[in-house]
Amino acid sequence: MKKATKRFLTLLLAVAMVCSLAACGGSSDSGTSSGDSGTSSGDSSSTDDGGSATSDVNNDADGNGRADKVVYGSTQAYSSLTPFLNPKTYTAAVFETLGRYHDYGSDFEGLLMESWEQTDELTYVVTLYDNIYDSEGNHITASDVVFSFETVRTEGEISQTDVIETVTALDDYTVQFTWGDTPVTGAFEQMMSLVNIVSQEAYEATGDGMASDPVGTGPYVVTSWTSGVTMTLEVNENYWANDDQIKFDTQLQNVDVIEIQTISETSQISMALQTGEIDMTEDLAATDASNFQEGGAYSANYTVLEQADYAPKSILVNVSEDAKTSDYYLRQAIMCAIDNEYIAAVVNGGSNQAVYGLGAPSNSDYDEEAWKSYLPERSVEQAKEYLAQSAYPDGTTITLLLIDGGINNDIAEIIQNQLNQIGIEVDVQAQTFGNWLTNKNDSSAWDLIISELSSTNCCAAIFQNAFDTRDGSANEIFADDATLQELLEACIFVDNHTQESVNAFQQYLTEQAYVIPGLVQINYNVYDSTLISEIVYSGEGAVIPQAFTYIGVAE
């Protein structure tokens, strides 16, 4: 059977639902990082790993108070610049949303919206600033907000805003959002920070949905772009926001030109740093990091930051009648046989952190100690005992679906080996993102799937995105399980979101072997410390060069 499209974003590296601070807690971290050699977010030391910020350099030749240029190297290739993509490094510079979080778990504020109020259980009313203009001078009003939310349902990578039933312009600067069902914790904040707002006139004038010529309200404009090669962003000299309206690091203009170089091979990232072709990257391979860390050949002018990715790699288990893994004992055998701690210690040079449930350590309601206690002992013998009780006592072949690339293939190979030890063969289906996305919604296409469901704040948001069936659609694992839904609804609303209710849901996931925990990657972020003294991340985990602190800039 085909699964109905989920109403919330569950795409790879999607921005999953962020939770309200009343339920999830928060902090005042600024999102800046400048030298913590461990997981970094909100730290403010000046250099690390041999970096040597140089105070007598001049990176502001024209003396305008901005650095002249920064070059960011990334393995990410952009096939389209439409505003309705999942957040990327460039999108936060070119486009803006109604509101956003400053950083993981920090305060949510309005960006394009000046204020908002919830008028009843299903309704929010948003008031826009009246002075918002895009880079071509188009005045942004409530009708453009309606257009953007209606368009995002069918365009780009972000198409699942069905949680909102209607979006209505009440006047030029007031928009009413009506939910189809009681909003869960953080639903409003998620929607306000998910959809980029653009001028309907400008969007339609491009003829291709801004795929190659984006026009946004952000502090930068795209001046050149060659897909898969390079992109150049320059300061939007007519940026709409005045000093009182600038609240976010994404709104800053600390550098004249941001150049994004696409470098497909991580092996070439290191070379590009060594030759000065790029100034910073998030994509340095773990095996190359030591060259730029203290004592490394290139450590004198570089700072290296290690940061845990916010998107965990988890293994979801298909429990539909179409899948062999509908068999409870087969699932238990798989759970006991897959050792995620071993996987985390081996792939990517061991630069990973094992997780113990459907979430990441960056999530405010992730409880490692409790969740780890729910897991069975990793044991080949115990796994074989479970397999003997299943419908497949002599073993069987199951299908593992994953997106081709990165460390997914390495993870799959180890899973193959671990399951082979108990008599289960694994047919690995490594696919392009588009094919993966299609097949993950087909219950007959896989038994296990490597997924990256994530949230910038709460695990409960991930649970809701993956498992809520209140709208009548199937959940991510095709489970028809009333207890699962009951426990979900007991932890996802503002009034009932507690650590105890979250843990009860996670414990049930583990007991039923619905999700096999995976890992989060440790990213190595490297920057030239003769140019940059501090790097900054957005609430979605992307670097935002417009907010970096640059050395040798005129006061």
mmCIF file of all heavy atoms in Angstrom, residues 240-273:
data_model
loop_
_atom_site.group_PDB
_atom_site.id
_atom_site.type_symbol
_atom_site.label_atom_id
_atom_site.label_comp_id
_atom_site.label_asym_id
_atom_site.label_seq_id
_atom_site.Cartn_x
_atom_site.Cartn_y
_atom_site.Cartn_z
ATOM 1 N N TRP A 240 15.440 46.101 4.185
ATOM 2 C CA TRP A 240 14.293 46.789 4.761
ATOM 3 C C TRP A 240 14.416 47.092 6.256
ATOM 4 O O TRP A 240 13.877 48.097 6.731
ATOM 5 C CB TRP A 240 13.025 45.960 4.546
ATOM 6 C CG TRP A 240 13.037 44.651 5.295
ATOM 7 C CD1 TRP A 240 13.561 43.472 4.862
ATOM 8 C CD2 TRP A 240 12.521 44.409 6.606
ATOM 9 N NE1 TRP A 240 13.421 42.492 5.816
ATOM 10 C CE2 TRP A 240 12.775 43.033 6.897
ATOM 11 C CE3 TRP A 240 11.880 45.193 7.569
ATOM 12 C CZ2 TRP A 240 12.397 42.445 8.112
ATOM 13 C CZ3 TRP A 240 11.503 44.612 8.777
ATOM 14 C CH2 TRP A 240 11.763 43.239 9.037
ATOM 15 N N ALA A 241 15.082 46.215 7.024
ATOM 16 C CA ALA A 241 15.025 46.309 8.485
ATOM 17 C C ALA A 241 15.875 47.453 9.030
ATOM 18 O O ALA A 241 17.031 47.621 8.639
ATOM 19 C CB ALA A 241 15.475 44.991 9.110
ATOM 20 N N ASN A 242 15.311 48.218 9.924
ATOM 21 C CA ASN A 242 16.101 49.238 10.618
ATOM 22 C C ASN A 242 16.721 48.626 11.871
ATOM 23 O O ASN A 242 16.488 47.466 12.196
ATOM 24 C CB ASN A 242 15.242 50.465 10.956
ATOM 25 C CG ASN A 242 14.054 50.120 11.856
ATOM 26 O OD1 ASN A 242 14.202 49.412 12.853
ATOM 27 N ND2 ASN A 242 12.869 50.632 11.512
ATOM 28 N N ASP A 243 17.516 49.413 12.573
ATOM 29 C CA ASP A 243 18.263 48.876 13.712
ATOM 30 C C ASP A 243 17.354 48.242 14.755
ATOM 31 O O ASP A 243 17.686 47.209 15.348
ATOM 32 C CB ASP A 243 19.104 49.980 14.360
ATOM 33 C CG ASP A 243 20.276 50.409 13.492
ATOM 34 O OD1 ASP A 243 20.618 49.646 12.563
ATOM 35 O OD2 ASP A 243 20.832 51.488 13.733
ATOM 36 N N ASP A 244 16.184 48.835 14.978
ATOM 37 C CA ASP A 244 15.268 48.321 15.992
ATOM 38 C C ASP A 244 14.634 47.003 15.563
ATOM 39 O O ASP A 244 14.115 46.260 16.409
ATOM 40 C CB ASP A 244 14.166 49.345 16.282
ATOM 41 C CG ASP A 244 14.690 50.590 16.970
ATOM 42 O OD1 ASP A 244 15.757 50.496 17.618
ATOM 43 O OD2 ASP A 244 14.067 51.661 16.846
ATOM 44 N N GLN A 245 14.648 46.723 14.266
ATOM 45 C CA GLN A 245 13.998 45.515 13.755
ATOM 46 C C GLN A 245 14.986 44.376 13.515
ATOM 47 O O GLN A 245 14.582 43.279 13.151
ATOM 48 C CB GLN A 245 13.252 45.840 12.455
ATOM 49 C CG GLN A 245 12.081 46.796 12.668
ATOM 50 C CD GLN A 245 11.557 47.357 11.359
ATOM 51 O OE1 GLN A 245 12.338 47.708 10.466
ATOM 52 N NE2 GLN A 245 10.251 47.454 11.231
ATOM 53 N N ILE A 246 16.261 44.641 13.705
ATOM 54 C CA ILE A 246 17.274 43.594 13.532
ATOM 55 C C ILE A 246 17.460 42.868 14.858
ATOM 56 O O ILE A 246 17.995 43.416 15.823
ATOM 57 C CB ILE A 246 18.599 44.178 13.019
ATOM 58 C CG1 ILE A 246 18.417 44.728 11.601
ATOM 59 C CG2 ILE A 246 19.700 43.122 13.040
ATOM 60 C CD1 ILE A 246 19.646 45.371 11.014
ATOM 61 N N LYS A 247 17.000 41.620 14.904
ATOM 62 C CA LYS A 247 17.046 40.827 16.126
ATOM 63 C C LYS A 247 17.906 39.580 15.986
ATOM 64 O O LYS A 247 18.337 39.008 16.979
ATOM 65 C CB LYS A 247 15.630 40.379 16.516
ATOM 66 C CG LYS A 247 14.597 41.474 16.606
ATOM 67 C CD LYS A 247 13.208 40.863 16.797
ATOM 68 C CE LYS A 247 12.128 41.904 16.759
ATOM 69 N NZ LYS A 247 10.773 41.295 16.854
ATOM 70 N N PHE A 248 18.127 39.141 14.736
ATOM 71 C CA PHE A 248 18.736 37.844 14.512
ATOM 72 C C PHE A 248 20.102 37.978 13.846
ATOM 73 O O PHE A 248 20.332 38.900 13.056
ATOM 74 C CB PHE A 248 17.837 36.982 13.619
ATOM 75 C CG PHE A 248 16.510 36.655 14.235
ATOM 76 C CD1 PHE A 248 15.418 37.477 14.047
ATOM 77 C CD2 PHE A 248 16.356 35.519 15.011
ATOM 78 C CE1 PHE A 248 14.194 37.185 14.614
ATOM 79 C CE2 PHE A 248 15.139 35.205 15.588
ATOM 80 C CZ PHE A 248 14.051 36.048 15.392
ATOM 81 N N ASP A 249 20.967 37.034 14.135
ATOM 82 C CA ASP A 249 22.265 36.996 13.471
ATOM 83 C C ASP A 249 22.109 36.889 11.960
ATOM 84 O O ASP A 249 22.939 37.398 11.213
ATOM 85 C CB ASP A 249 23.080 35.799 13.980
ATOM 86 C CG ASP A 249 23.533 35.978 15.418
ATOM 87 O OD1 ASP A 249 23.732 37.135 15.830
ATOM 88 O OD2 ASP A 249 23.677 34.969 16.121
ATOM 89 N N THR A 250 21.050 36.226 11.499
ATOM 90 C CA THR A 250 20.840 36.073 10.058
ATOM 91 C C THR A 250 20.609 37.410 9.376
ATOM 92 O O THR A 250 20.775 37.515 8.158
ATOM 93 C CB THR A 250 19.622 35.176 9.785
ATOM 94 O OG1 THR A 250 18.475 35.694 10.472
ATOM 95 C CG2 THR A 250 19.884 33.749 10.223
ATOM 96 N N GLN A 251 20.244 38.448 10.115
ATOM 97 C CA GLN A 251 19.954 39.753 9.522
ATOM 98 C C GLN A 251 21.185 40.646 9.397
ATOM 99 O O GLN A 251 21.099 41.745 8.845
ATOM 100 C CB GLN A 251 18.892 40.482 10.358
ATOM 101 C CG GLN A 251 17.538 39.788 10.384
ATOM 102 C CD GLN A 251 16.534 40.550 11.221
ATOM 103 O OE1 GLN A 251 16.514 40.421 12.437
ATOM 104 N NE2 GLN A 251 15.696 41.358 10.576
ATOM 105 N N LEU A 252 22.318 40.190 9.901
ATOM 106 C CA LEU A 252 23.517 41.022 9.898
ATOM 107 C C LEU A 252 24.158 41.063 8.514
ATOM 108 O O LEU A 252 23.906 40.215 7.654
ATOM 109 C CB LEU A 252 24.504 40.508 10.936
ATOM 110 C CG LEU A 252 24.009 40.518 12.386
ATOM 111 C CD1 LEU A 252 25.064 39.958 13.321
ATOM 112 C CD2 LEU A 252 23.594 41.931 12.816
ATOM 113 N N GLN A 253 25.022 42.059 8.319
ATOM 114 C CA GLN A 253 25.752 42.242 7.058
ATOM 115 C C GLN A 253 27.218 42.528 7.386
ATOM 116 O O GLN A 253 27.728 43.612 7.149
ATOM 117 C CB GLN A 253 25.140 43.384 6.242
ATOM 118 C CG GLN A 253 23.701 43.137 5.799
ATOM 119 C CD GLN A 253 23.092 44.348 5.110
ATOM 120 O OE1 GLN A 253 23.211 45.473 5.589
ATOM 121 N NE2 GLN A 253 22.419 44.116 3.994
ATOM 122 N N ASN A 254 27.902 41.527 7.920
ATOM 123 C CA ASN A 254 29.270 41.717 8.397
ATOM 124 C C ASN A 254 30.335 41.512 7.331
ATOM 125 O O ASN A 254 31.520 41.674 7.610
ATOM 126 C CB ASN A 254 29.553 40.774 9.566
ATOM 127 C CG ASN A 254 28.772 41.152 10.819
ATOM 128 O OD1 ASN A 254 28.177 42.227 10.895
ATOM 129 N ND2 ASN A 254 28.767 40.268 11.802
ATOM 130 N N VAL A 255 29.924 41.154 6.109
ATOM 131 C CA VAL A 255 30.873 40.917 5.027
ATOM 132 C C VAL A 255 30.228 41.345 3.714
ATOM 133 O O VAL A 255 29.021 41.189 3.529
ATOM 134 C CB VAL A 255 31.305 39.427 4.993
ATOM 135 C CG1 VAL A 255 30.117 38.508 4.770
ATOM 136 C CG2 VAL A 255 32.403 39.186 3.979
ATOM 137 N N ASP A 256 31.025 41.935 2.831
ATOM 138 C CA ASP A 256 30.485 42.426 1.559
ATOM 139 C C ASP A 256 30.043 41.298 0.638
ATOM 140 O O ASP A 256 28.975 41.361 0.027
ATOM 141 C CB ASP A 256 31.540 43.272 0.829
ATOM 142 C CG ASP A 256 31.821 44.587 1.519
ATOM 143 O OD1 ASP A 256 30.881 45.165 2.090
ATOM 144 O OD2 ASP A 256 32.986 45.035 1.487
ATOM 145 N N VAL A 257 30.879 40.272 0.510
ATOM 146 C CA VAL A 257 30.633 39.198 -0.452
ATOM 147 C C VAL A 257 30.777 37.840 0.246
ATOM 148 O O VAL A 257 31.769 37.594 0.936
ATOM 149 C CB VAL A 257 31.614 39.271 -1.642
ATOM 150 C CG1 VAL A 257 31.389 38.106 -2.599
ATOM 151 C CG2 VAL A 257 31.476 40.606 -2.367
ATOM 152 N N ILE A 258 29.782 36.999 0.051
ATOM 153 C CA ILE A 258 29.841 35.610 0.500
ATOM 154 C C ILE A 258 29.886 34.740 -0.743
ATOM 155 O O ILE A 258 28.967 34.781 -1.567
ATOM 156 C CB ILE A 258 28.623 35.218 1.349
ATOM 157 C CG1 ILE A 258 28.495 36.115 2.581
ATOM 158 C CG2 ILE A 258 28.693 33.741 1.752
ATOM 159 C CD1 ILE A 258 27.177 35.956 3.324
ATOM 160 N N GLU A 259 30.963 33.994 -0.891
ATOM 161 C CA GLU A 259 31.069 33.081 -2.032
ATOM 162 C C GLU A 259 30.980 31.649 -1.524
ATOM 163 O O GLU A 259 31.674 31.278 -0.577
ATOM 164 C CB GLU A 259 32.393 33.294 -2.766
ATOM 165 C CG GLU A 259 32.537 32.449 -4.020
ATOM 166 C CD GLU A 259 33.824 32.759 -4.764
ATOM 167 O OE1 GLU A 259 34.070 33.954 -5.045
ATOM 168 O OE2 GLU A 259 34.585 31.806 -5.041
ATOM 169 N N ILE A 260 30.098 30.879 -2.124
ATOM 170 C CA ILE A 260 29.924 29.479 -1.732
ATOM 171 C C ILE A 260 30.460 28.602 -2.856
ATOM 172 O O ILE A 260 29.939 28.626 -3.974
ATOM 173 C CB ILE A 260 28.446 29.157 -1.461
ATOM 174 C CG1 ILE A 260 27.896 30.074 -0.367
ATOM 175 C CG2 ILE A 260 28.280 27.689 -1.057
ATOM 176 C CD1 ILE A 260 26.404 29.930 -0.127
ATOM 177 N N GLN A 261 31.520 27.873 -2.564
ATOM 178 C CA GLN A 261 32.127 26.980 -3.544
ATOM 179 C C GLN A 261 31.640 25.551 -3.287
ATOM 180 O O GLN A 261 31.722 25.050 -2.170
ATOM 181 C CB GLN A 261 33.654 27.015 -3.427
ATOM 182 C CG GLN A 261 34.299 28.316 -3.864
ATOM 183 C CD GLN A 261 34.354 28.446 -5.374
ATOM 184 O OE1 GLN A 261 34.101 27.500 -6.114
ATOM 185 N NE2 GLN A 261 34.687 29.641 -5.839
ATOM 186 N N THR A 262 31.127 24.905 -4.321
ATOM 187 C CA THR A 262 30.731 23.509 -4.205
ATOM 188 C C THR A 262 31.922 22.619 -4.523
ATOM 189 O O THR A 262 32.488 22.706 -5.618
ATOM 190 C CB THR A 262 29.571 23.176 -5.157
ATOM 191 O OG1 THR A 262 28.432 23.984 -4.821
ATOM 192 C CG2 THR A 262 29.188 21.705 -5.046
ATOM 193 N N ILE A 263 32.303 21.809 -3.565
ATOM 194 C CA ILE A 263 33.429 20.886 -3.721
ATOM 195 C C ILE A 263 32.896 19.501 -3.384
ATOM 196 O O ILE A 263 32.664 19.176 -2.223
ATOM 197 C CB ILE A 263 34.602 21.268 -2.800
ATOM 198 C CG1 ILE A 263 35.029 22.723 -3.065
ATOM 199 C CG2 ILE A 263 35.769 20.314 -2.983
ATOM 200 C CD1 ILE A 263 36.064 23.256 -2.088
ATOM 201 N N SER A 264 32.677 18.695 -4.391
ATOM 202 C CA SER A 264 31.922 17.463 -4.209
ATOM 203 C C SER A 264 32.641 16.425 -3.366
ATOM 204 O O SER A 264 32.011 15.656 -2.641
ATOM 205 C CB SER A 264 31.562 16.858 -5.567
ATOM 206 O OG SER A 264 32.728 16.606 -6.325
ATOM 207 N N GLU A 265 33.957 16.388 -3.421
ATOM 208 C CA GLU A 265 34.716 15.373 -2.695
ATOM 209 C C GLU A 265 35.305 15.959 -1.415
ATOM 210 O O GLU A 265 35.979 16.990 -1.440
ATOM 211 C CB GLU A 265 35.845 14.818 -3.567
ATOM 212 C CG GLU A 265 35.380 14.131 -4.844
ATOM 213 C CD GLU A 265 34.592 12.866 -4.558
ATOM 214 O OE1 GLU A 265 34.844 12.233 -3.508
ATOM 215 O OE2 GLU A 265 33.721 12.520 -5.371
ATOM 216 N N THR A 266 35.052 15.283 -0.288
ATOM 217 C CA THR A 266 35.600 15.784 0.976
ATOM 218 C C THR A 266 37.125 15.795 0.964
ATOM 219 O O THR A 266 37.751 16.621 1.644
ATOM 220 C CB THR A 266 35.113 14.927 2.156
ATOM 221 O OG1 THR A 266 35.421 13.542 1.899
ATOM 222 C CG2 THR A 266 33.612 15.060 2.335
ATOM 223 N N SER A 267 37.728 14.922 0.157
ATOM 224 C CA SER A 267 39.188 14.902 0.079
ATOM 225 C C SER A 267 39.730 16.197 -0.496
ATOM 226 O O SER A 267 40.864 16.598 -0.199
ATOM 227 C CB SER A 267 39.651 13.715 -0.768
ATOM 228 O OG SER A 267 39.135 13.803 -2.088
ATOM 229 N N GLN A 268 38.911 16.856 -1.338
ATOM 230 C CA GLN A 268 39.341 18.111 -1.939
ATOM 231 C C GLN A 268 39.087 19.316 -1.034
ATOM 232 O O GLN A 268 39.640 20.390 -1.263
ATOM 233 C CB GLN A 268 38.625 18.309 -3.275
ATOM 234 C CG GLN A 268 38.977 17.265 -4.332
ATOM 235 C CD GLN A 268 40.468 17.237 -4.623
ATOM 236 O OE1 GLN A 268 41.074 18.279 -4.866
ATOM 237 N NE2 GLN A 268 41.056 16.043 -4.585
ATOM 238 N N ILE A 269 38.233 19.123 -0.023
ATOM 239 C CA ILE A 269 37.981 20.203 0.929
ATOM 240 C C ILE A 269 39.267 20.574 1.653
ATOM 241 O O ILE A 269 39.611 21.755 1.806
ATOM 242 C CB ILE A 269 36.898 19.785 1.941
ATOM 243 C CG1 ILE A 269 35.520 19.667 1.273
ATOM 244 C CG2 ILE A 269 36.862 20.746 3.123
ATOM 245 C CD1 ILE A 269 34.813 20.956 1.019
ATOM 246 N N SER A 270 40.003 19.564 2.109
ATOM 247 C CA SER A 270 41.257 19.815 2.816
ATOM 248 C C SER A 270 42.239 20.563 1.928
ATOM 249 O O SER A 270 42.888 21.524 2.368
ATOM 250 C CB SER A 270 41.865 18.491 3.292
ATOM 251 O OG SER A 270 43.114 18.700 3.897
ATOM 252 N N MET A 271 42.349 20.146 0.676
ATOM 253 C CA MET A 271 43.270 20.810 -0.245
ATOM 254 C C MET A 271 42.866 22.256 -0.473
ATOM 255 O O MET A 271 43.726 23.156 -0.541
ATOM 256 C CB MET A 271 43.309 20.050 -1.566
ATOM 257 C CG MET A 271 44.312 20.601 -2.570
ATOM 258 S SD MET A 271 46.026 20.538 -1.937
ATOM 259 C CE MET A 271 46.275 18.745 -1.871
ATOM 260 N N ALA A 272 41.560 22.511 -0.582
ATOM 261 C CA ALA A 272 41.089 23.880 -0.810
ATOM 262 C C ALA A 272 41.417 24.778 0.372
ATOM 263 O O ALA A 272 41.727 25.970 0.196
ATOM 264 C CB ALA A 272 39.583 23.871 -1.077
ATOM 265 N N LEU A 273 41.383 24.249 1.571
ATOM 266 C CA LEU A 273 41.798 25.016 2.750
ATOM 267 C C LEU A 273 43.287 25.300 2.715
ATOM 268 O O LEU A 273 43.737 26.425 2.967
ATOM 269 C CB LEU A 273 41.443 24.253 4.032
ATOM 270 C CG LEU A 273 39.984 24.230 4.459
ATOM 271 C CD1 LEU A 273 39.770 23.168 5.533
ATOM 272 C CD2 LEU A 273 39.543 25.602 4.983
#
